[in-house]
Amino acid sequence: MKVAALLLAGSMALAACASDETGGGSSGSGGGEGGGSEEPRIGLAFDTGGRGDRSFNDAAVAGLEAAVEEHGGEFQDLSPNADGSNRADLLTQLADEGYNPIIAVGFAYGEVIGDVVEQYPDTTFAIIDSSAAEVGADNLTGLLFSEEEGSFLAGVAAALKSETGHVGFVGGVETPLIQKFEAGYVAGAQAVNPQIIIDRQYISPAGDFSGFNAPDRGLLVAQGMYEGGADIVYHAAGGSGLGVFQAAAAAGARAIGVDSDQYQTVDDPALQAVILTSMLKRVDTAVSSFIDSFVDGSVQGGEDIVYNLEQDGVGLSTSGGFIDDIQDQIEEYRTQIVDGEITVPSTP
Amino acid sequence: MNVLRKIGLALFAPVLAVVVAVVISSAVMAALQVDPFEVFAVMVDFGDTPSQQVTALVVILNRAVPLFLAGLAVAIAFRMGLFNIGVEGQYRLATILAAGVGAAVALPGPLHVLLIVVVAMAVAAIWAGIVAVLKVTRGVSEVISSIMLNVIALGIASFLLTGPLRGSPEGASIIATAEIPESGWMPSLNGVFGLLGLATPPRQLYGFLLVAVVVGAVIAVLLNRTRFGFDLRAAGLSPSAASASGVDSRGMVVKTMLLSGAVAGLIGMPDLLGSTHAYTTDFTSGLGFLGIAVALLGRNKPVGIALGALLFAFLDRSLVPLQIQDFPASVVTIIQGTIVLAVVVANEIARRVARRSAERGSAAPAVVAGDGSTGPGQAASGAASDGGAADGGVGTGAGVSRSAGAGQRSDERQESGL
């Protein structure tokens, strides 16, 4: 008993120590050494459980790589410690090392970035998923997305494809950001089929960020939904989404991916087959076009750039061809949203 | 045993643990074809400019303060042989309620801060007290109940944050409680750097550092120089002997858990009073579990815990420069993990060394024989006896021992107790 208790405590302590593997600070050097001084040295700060999620964070890297390909230069990415208490240090270290621009990936940086941008007025910053307007600093740009609009289309696809009239939504952490996904998805599914049953569950409550990086718990939650009769589950759960796909594969049902085109990124044919579509959040486009405008010298600063359906900042992927047959109906809803005929709610 | 020897023995285990951890992680790094010496060089490099160096120092100290308090909270219970795994839930719940109270009232400066701190200590103490009450009245293992109460505490904290105590506007990406007015902020210690002739860093050194030092000193005196501390340690070393000599072991369980909880309530205070001024969805979590590792590393003594906290904070800071220099940051994780394991092993070795030296001396062989196969585990002075095996059933489960032998003995005892 006591030994078991000790082992338990020891493993918990270890788990608390264990920050997620970060893949180190691999820096991609695209333009080669000895490039001109105009080549940007880009700093990228992830949030906990960042790089390697095959979803949101990796999309930012993809955008960065595209930008480095085009403009030359290099980039350095950093990940915080397990509890995220050193987020501010990541930004100040990058600024101290002379990286410019610096991009903070994730709304969790919203709290600390205000002080940092003030401290380094000559460095250009961008933050994804958090508003810069409320900070009001000239050297900070917010890169925002209309996740609810893209999720609306995901809901449409799920409702059209569901045979049981029962679908599910798995959120990573119950935060306002993820609630936007939920709200859009529910509205979309109900627009197609007002009678549809929608299971909604979050892996962890607000304040506990483990839900973005817990495939095992994602699997359990999704499994429950499939067993309860749902045949399509949409996840907005970052790294936990892998568990949702596994549950779908085990149940012989299907799932909808998020952020990246997960059909391409999941890297497992058995799981590819269950990914109906993915709600694309073009973080890559946002990052690369931000760097484009930085290189041009046209960054305004102090404002938010919103990527929505109209600019294809969000949308559905078609890889795998599973939704080709309903493409017309999806396009119809898309046009209605863009034209303002449908207003998608952003809170559930 | 002379003083020098005593100090040597006290230092033996942690130093051995750190050395073993460094050797193991160097081997792992070498296997990954990373030069360990370069990694260690990066870890101790605090930057080029004085401002950067002082900032690095501030970052380490700011991180060490909550770790120290967490280690202290765990250690108080450990010394009594209680396993308070519930520190995590205790401080999270305490912090959000303290933040809520702090934001709701307006008081003159020091009083406001004092109120917030007292609320936090009271909430965490009550939460820990539930564990103690369950243990003394129903015999529920504190390990199980404190883990379960963690889950409940996090759930309540989450409910409070998204419900009654929500202070952030609708749609804000980070949910927070209302901000504590400025009278409830704790001033930073950055003035000290000016007095010392050092560069003033852009980062604020938490004023709570002073409180932590005072708390550490008070706990040290309380444990080592008072009747209460003696009873606590005696009950931890041998519940049966303690109750035979008139210590109310049930009362001690309750008092110890209340004290442990009260200190746990302080863990969130440095961040709350010094920088965030509100409890948010991304308030630092996991400190309660790290505290277990820190307490083990410090062998449950305040000075040791302080050093352990500084070591962990130092390792934590090096995560960022390591990544900048393109070294795998997982090196730090490996070192932290191996330290925890090595400490457990090293404590056991130190205990045996201490026992052997006690056996060589003429010091009461009977006591040593009574020690037998049991390991005192948390016992501060290595030569002391657990005695749990001889215990009939009064303080069931009070002795936390590390050696497998003691575990078996405890199991037998529990079975016979049932």
Side-chain angles (χ1 to χ4, degrees):
Chain A
M1 172 63 203
K2 293 297 155 191
V3 173
L6 186 80
L7 283 175
L8 184 65
S11 64
M12 287 177 116
L14 279 176
C17 300
S19 68
D20 312 283
E21 96 288 353
T22 59
S26 49
S27 78
S29 169
E33 299 299 315
S37 59
E38 289 157 25
E39 291 187 341
R41 294 178 70 224
I42 308 154
L44 194 66
F46 287 124
D47 199 16
T48 308
R51 194 167 182 174
D53 64 353
R54 305 185 178 195
S55 184
F56 174 68
N57 293 286
D58 284 1
V61 177
L64 209 49
E65 278 166 352
V68 168
E69 185 93 356
E70 189 182 340
H71 303 292
E74 56 169 332
F75 74 90
Q76 168 78 56
D77 64 279
L78 297 181
S79 297
N81 57 0
D83 55 24
S85 58
N86 64 350
R87 289 191 190 102
D89 301 333
L90 300 188
L91 299 176
T92 55
Q93 278 270 356
L94 285 169
D96 280 341
E97 298 285 325
Y99 287 96
N100 189 19
I102 294 171
I103 302 171
V105 185
F107 63 86
Y109 282 96
E111 198 178 13
V112 295
I113 204 160
D115 295 336
V116 177
V117 294
E118 217 167 275
Q119 199 182 322
Y120 297 92
D122 299 329
T123 306
T124 304
F125 291 87
I127 182 164
I128 298 174
D129 279 351
S130 185
S131 170
E134 56 195 58
V135 176
D138 287 345
N139 55 337
L140 177 65
T141 304
L143 306 176
L144 301 177
F145 296 84
S146 303
E147 292 91 353
E148 69 280 11
E149 294 182 0
S151 299
F152 186 95
L153 297 188
V156 167
L160 288 173
K161 280 288 183 180
S162 173
E163 286 159 13
T164 57
H166 188 165
V167 297
F169 171 83
V170 177
V173 180
E174 196 164 4
T175 60
L177 176 71
I178 304 302
Q179 284 171 336
K180 281 168 81 180
F181 289 84
E182 180 194 344
Y185 179 71
V186 169
Q190 286 172 343
V192 173
N193 175 4
Q195 310 303 323
I196 198 163
I197 304 168
I198 308 171
D199 292 335
R200 306 178 236 178
Q201 203 171 331
Y202 286 85
I203 296 173
S204 65
D208 173 6
F209 279 83
S210 60
F212 283 133
N213 207 14
D216 53 331
R217 285 154 71 195
L219 187 142
L220 282 179
V221 171
Q223 204 172 38
M225 291 179 179
Y226 288 125
E227 280 168 5
D231 61 348
I232 296 174
V233 172
Y234 172 43
H235 88 84
S240 305
L242 193 63
V244 176
F245 297 147
Q246 286 162 348
R254 278 184 290 191
I256 299 177
V258 80
D259 294 345
S260 295
D261 182 353
Q262 296 204 280
Y263 184 87
Q264 306 289 353
T265 59
V266 75
D267 204 22
D268 179 349
L271 299 184
Q272 263 185 340
V274 305
I275 302 176
L276 182 69
T277 174
S278 297
M279 199 293 277
L280 297 176
K281 177 168 162 181
R282 301 305 302 267
V283 177
D284 50 345
T285 315
V287 166
S288 61
S289 57
F290 172 73
I291 294 166
D292 289 347
S293 52
F294 176 79
V295 173
D296 298 346
S298 63
V299 174
Q300 293 286 323
E303 59 169 21
D304 293 325
I305 303 174
V306 180
Y307 292 84
N308 56 24
L309 263 187
E310 193 174 355
Q311 306 134 340
D312 287 325
V314 290
L316 290 187
S317 70
T318 53
S319 305
F322 300 123
I323 56 165
D324 288 353
D325 52 331
I326 53 168
Q327 205 51 251
D328 292 346
Q329 286 142 293
I330 292 174
E331 187 56 36
E332 212 168 282
Y333 280 106
R334 182 182 176 278
T335 317
Q336 288 182 20
I337 295 170
V338 170
D339 293 347
E341 287 167 37
I342 294 178
T343 313
V344 184
S346 57
T347 49
Chain B
M1 202 188 290
N2 60 35
V3 178
L4 207 64
R5 237 192 122 98
K6 217 170 173 176
I7 294 174
L9 270 174
L11 282 178
F12 177 67
V15 170
L16 181 72
V18 171
V19 169
V20 168
V22 166
V23 169
I24 293 177
S25 20
S26 300
V28 173
M29 280 185 252
L32 296 171
Q33 304 190 327
V34 176
D35 183 349
F37 294 104
E38 280 178 38
V39 169
F40 293 127
V42 172
M43 288 171 78
V44 296
D45 179 12
F46 281 9
D48 306 324
T49 67
S51 171
Q52 282 178 354
Q53 288 163 357
V54 178
T55 304
L57 209 61
V58 170
V59 167
I60 291 178
L61 285 173
N62 280 355
R63 175 75 175 164
V65 171
L67 282 176
F68 169 71
L69 292 166
L72 205 57
V74 173
I76 292 167
F78 262 164
R79 287 291 280 271
M80 158 98 201
L82 292 169
F83 229 126
N84 184 4
I85 300 177
V87 171
E88 178 74 16
Q90 287 151 22
Y91 92 84
R92 298 278 287 276
L93 192 62
T95 309
I96 186 168
L97 283 170
V101 170
V105 301
L107 284 170
L111 269 181
H112 199 164
V113 173
L114 188 68
L115 175 74
I116 294 170
V117 172
V118 167
V119 168
M121 291 176 78
V123 170
I126 291 168
W127 202 250
I130 298 174
V131 175
V133 169
L134 284 174
K135 186 175 175 70
V136 298
T137 57
R138 315 288 335 149
V140 179
S141 161
E142 80 278 6
V143 177
I144 306 296
S145 58
S146 61
I147 290 177
M148 294 299 143
L149 281 167
N150 271 347
V151 181
I152 298 172
L154 294 188
I156 295 176
S158 195
F159 162 75
L160 290 172
L161 185 57
T162 49
L165 294 179
R166 185 174 187 144
S168 58
E170 200 64 36
S173 52
I174 295 176
I175 305 173
T177 57
E179 187 167 75
I180 297 171
E182 205 159 335
S183 58
W185 300 7
M186 195 160 229
S188 80
L189 295 175
N190 277 19
V192 175
F193 295 113
L195 291 177
L196 293 174
L198 295 166
T200 309
R203 201 64 61 83
Q204 309 282 308
L205 177 60
Y206 288 157
F208 212 80
L209 175 65
L210 292 179
V211 179
V213 170
V214 171
V215 169
V218 168
I219 295 296
V221 170
L222 191 68
L223 287 180
N224 296 320
R225 295 275 179 273
T226 64
R227 168 84 196 266
F228 173 78
F230 179 81
D231 288 355
L232 186 149
R233 284 179 295 136
L237 295 175
S238 169
S240 60
S243 39
S245 56
V247 176
D248 169 16
S249 63
R250 293 177 162 219
M252 285 308 295
V253 168
V254 175
K255 284 182 208 160
T256 306
M257 283 306 284
L258 289 177
L259 184 64
S260 173
V263 174
L266 296 174
I267 297 170
M269 294 298 103
D271 285 330
L272 182 69
L273 299 173
S275 73
T276 64
H277 309 307
Y279 184 91
T280 62
T281 37
D282 55 355
F283 198 86
T284 311
S285 62
L287 290 170
F289 297 129
L290 280 176
I292 298 174
V294 171
L296 281 175
L297 190 56
R299 302 197 77 202
N300 301 320
K301 295 184 173 175
V303 174
I305 295 165
L307 294 175
L310 284 169
L311 178 65
F312 265 57
F314 163 78
L315 289 172
D316 216 56
R317 189 210 74 96
S318 59
L319 277 172
V320 184
L322 278 176
Q323 290 185 67
I324 294 233
Q325 299 295 328
D326 282 349
F327 287 112
S330 43
V331 165
V332 169
T333 314
I334 295 172
I335 296 178
Q336 283 180 333
T338 44
I339 284 181
V340 175
L341 285 177
V343 160
V344 176
V345 176
N347 274 357
E348 178 63 20
I349 294 174
R351 190 183 63 82
R352 290 191 182 168
V353 169
R355 199 174 66 196
R356 207 165 299 147
S357 72
E359 276 167 357
R360 265 203 304 276
S362 57
V367 174
V368 176
D371 196 19
S373 65
T374 61
Q378 330 305 333
S381 52
S385 151
D386 184 320
D391 177 16
V394 178
T396 318
V400 177
S401 307
R402 274 201 204 87
S403 71
Q408 285 161 3
R409 297 289 284 267
S410 309
D411 280 344
E412 285 162 22
R413 183 186 63 199
Q414 282 212 329
E415 276 163 22
S416 63
L418 293 166

